[in-house]
Amino acid sequence: MAPGTLLDYNSPSESRPAKKIKLSPAANFTAEDGEEVAAAVPPHPLNVKPAGNAFTASENLKSHCGAFARLPDELLNHILESFDADALVRLGSTCKALYAFTRLDELWRTLFIESPPEDFEWRGTWRSTYLNTPPELISSISCANLFSDILYRPFQCAHMPLEPFTTNIPPQNRITRLPDLTYGEFASHWIDKPFILTDPVKSWPIYNAWTPSTLLTTYPDTKFRAEAVDWPLATYMAYMTHNTDESPLYLFDRSFVSKTGITVGASSAHSAPSTTPDPTSDLNSKAAYWPPPCFGFDLFSVLGAHRPDHRWLIMGPARSGSTFHKDPNATSAWNAVLTGSKYWLMFPSSASLPPPPGVILSEDHSEITTPLSIAEYLLTFHGLARATPGCKEGVCGEGEVLHVPSGWFHLVLNLQDGLALTQNFVPRGRLGDVLGFLRDQRDQVSGFAEQVAEKAFEVFVERLRGWDEGVLGEGLGEMERKGRKGRGRWEELTKGKGGEEEDGGGGGFSFGFGGDESDVEVP
């Protein structure tokens, strides 16, 4: 989608006459709220204004750009997406309107990522960085009387205040906050619910020791993954502290443990899952951090070297984050904030529930499409999302950790520059969901090595059998119960009660353990 494109969202999935939603005063984002947000946005640096202002204007600069004036802004922007840097610079020198359109920084971000310079210095914008333009040589020509949502909307989203969306959370929406939990409490009451723990992270040696500034001092030249680029940390920090992107690059690195040389403590042993890890023990004496003990033993640990990607270092500026997604392979997750704070917007998921407002879900749930940036989603759908039954919201602050239950949709927004750690895990109570996912949705399995991915289910079952056959049997039984419960009407009509074909030709379920040992998303 072109940056800032305004779409018609009156799709069938949005307008279906399901149950009426009663809007409480606290939940409804009113027109007055929208006006307050709009009033707080500073003037556009080129004096561009929203498209609606053209109706009362005596002149529109776009009418002076020749044949380009006939093109809708969306189409013009799509055409410019195919231009190289030299063509954009030359076209931008022809008139004020095209000067503004060719300076849209998303165009230059794409050019940079497609062909990044070998050696560069971040200069505040993608255009200045790509062209290596010093600040004193950057032009800024007033384009007053140019009216375009394509140009104005990204700027608005990058500068609007976040407080109207992340405060005054309705009581029924608030994510529960607790000091800590035992494994027994988690397993019996909280395994399917999001919650925030305020105590465990504060006992980690890494807490207060790792901040963006301390990492910069220690690892300035170490390259970390930030979405589509691998940058030295010093370069990413320069970007993080000086950018005006609508959707800032989010550092999300899965190899940070080996890059920094730290040791990560083990999760609670399966023989005593409620025991808090002892920092003086052999397992955790040198550990920088360990999973919160209430989550118990991570069953994916039995995979050893075959386990999929499961832990990440996360860093980003205010307004960075991730749009709606689910964690991979039906895993649960925890997300611990070391510095800054994060706003979470969460929804449960099942075959009987629609996706969150504004989210498009494919029939097999393999693709989740959110055609808006986080900021534009808040402007467009936040009021409806907040009023939707099942919605959960919360702010996870410094030194706190949030639990993401398996299968929950979640949107995450950094409220300040921040640093966090996250890890996906398989608790015993959700083993059946993970087994079912690995068996029935093989095309969606991710994070495993290529030679393991196609046989992830079989490999996991084999390792579980060797570790604890009782736990495996429990998980397989739950998988089958949920599978029968989730069968559609067509399957019931064409198969018997036990799942076999009516003509008697169907065989029972069997596992295939071949000799061969047969890729993830941001929080």
Side-chain angles (χ1 to χ4, degrees), residues 180-200:
D180 204 351
L181 289 171
T182 66
Y183 172 76
E185 290 169 334
F186 169 71
S188 60
H189 298 295
W190 292 97
I191 200 166
D192 295 322
K193 302 181 183 72
F195 56 84
I196 294 171
L197 299 180
T198 59
D199 289 353

Side-chain angles (χ1 to χ4, degrees), residues 157-390:
C157 289
H159 292 84
M160 71 180 194
L162 301 175
E163 289 77 9
F165 308 101
T166 62
T167 57
N168 300 318
I169 298 174
Q172 69 273 16
N173 289 16
R174 293 173 188 163
I175 297 173
T176 302
R177 299 173 61 83
L178 304 161
D180 204 351
L181 289 171
T182 66
Y183 172 76
E185 290 169 334
F186 169 71
S188 60
H189 298 295
W190 292 97
I191 200 166
D192 295 322
K193 302 181 183 72
F195 56 84
I196 294 171
L197 299 180
T198 59
D199 289 353
V201 172
K202 295 180 176 68
S203 66
W204 290 351
I206 204 171
Y207 181 61
N208 288 330
W210 267 22
T211 67
S213 59
T214 61
L215 289 180
L216 177 61
T217 300
T218 310
Y219 310 103
D221 301 320
T222 302
K223 289 188 176 182
F224 291 90
R225 185 72 172 179
E227 299 185 27
V229 299
D230 292 282
W231 284 354
L233 187 58
T235 301
Y236 181 77
M237 287 289 292
Y239 167 86
M240 191 173 92
T241 57
H242 189 202
N243 80 89
T244 57
D245 284 356
E246 175 187 3
S247 299
L249 279 181
Y250 206 20
L251 188 150
F252 200 71
D253 193 282
R254 65 184 179 181
S255 304
F256 74 98
V257 170
S258 60
K259 292 177 181 179
T260 59
I262 64 171
T263 299
V264 179
S267 59
S268 300
H270 73 283
S271 58
S274 61
T275 301
T276 301
D278 180 1
T280 64
S281 69
D282 291 339
L283 282 176
N284 292 310
S285 60
K286 297 181 180 180
Y289 73 94
W290 46 83
C294 72
F295 298 129
F297 182 69
D298 178 2
L299 293 175
F300 257 173
S301 297
V302 304
L303 288 169
H306 291 316
R307 79 168 299 164
D309 300 329
H310 64 290
R311 57 190 175 211
W312 292 265
L313 171 71
I314 310 170
M315 184 160 54
R319 301 176 183 275
S320 64
S322 54
T323 55
F324 275 112
H325 64 283
K326 297 180 187 179
D327 282 303
N329 305 321
T331 57
S332 302
W334 53 261
N335 189 298
V337 178
L338 299 181
T339 66
S341 61
K342 296 175 181 289
Y343 168 74
W344 291 77
L345 183 61
M346 309 178 71
F347 288 88
S349 172
S350 75
S352 61
L353 291 174
V359 174
I360 302 168
L361 196 61
S362 65
E363 186 175 354
D364 63 355
H365 290 211
S366 64
E367 295 183 10
I368 300 174
T369 305
T370 51
L372 302 172
S373 67
I374 297 175
E376 193 159 10
Y377 182 90
L378 296 178
L379 279 172
T380 309
F381 287 107
H382 187 262
L384 180 58
R386 175 167 277 186
T388 298

Side-chain angles (χ1 to χ4, degrees), residues 82-215:
S82 65
F83 284 24
D84 61 20
D86 183 62
L88 287 175
V89 170
R90 288 188 290 112
L91 183 63
S93 67
T94 59
C95 69
K96 286 186 176 181
L98 292 176
Y99 168 84
F101 274 96
T102 58
R103 291 178 74 89
L104 188 64
D105 220 32
E106 189 66 25
L107 298 171
W108 296 92
R109 175 171 170 159
T110 301
L111 287 174
F112 184 100
I113 291 174
E114 289 178 348
S115 56
E118 291 186 5
D119 188 21
F120 68 93
E121 175 186 351
W122 178 254
R123 295 188 177 276
T125 67
W126 294 97
R127 183 181 187 276
S128 298
T129 303
Y130 190 86
L131 298 176
N132 196 26
T133 307
E136 64 271 15
L137 297 181
I138 297 174
S139 64
S140 182
I141 299 172
S142 174
C143 298
N145 294 319
L146 181 60
F147 311 99
S148 171
D149 288 333
I150 286 289
L151 301 180
Y152 184 81
R153 189 71 163 182
F155 173 81
Q156 178 189 20
C157 289
H159 292 84
M160 71 180 194
L162 301 175
E163 289 77 9
F165 308 101
T166 62
T167 57
N168 300 318
I169 298 174
Q172 69 273 16
N173 289 16
R174 293 173 188 163
I175 297 173
T176 302
R177 299 173 61 83
L178 304 161
D180 204 351
L181 289 171
T182 66
Y183 172 76
E185 290 169 334
F186 169 71
S188 60
H189 298 295
W190 292 97
I191 200 166
D192 295 322
K193 302 181 183 72
F195 56 84
I196 294 171
L197 299 180
T198 59
D199 289 353
V201 172
K202 295 180 176 68
S203 66
W204 290 351
I206 204 171
Y207 181 61
N208 288 330
W210 267 22
T211 67
S213 59
T214 61
L215 289 180

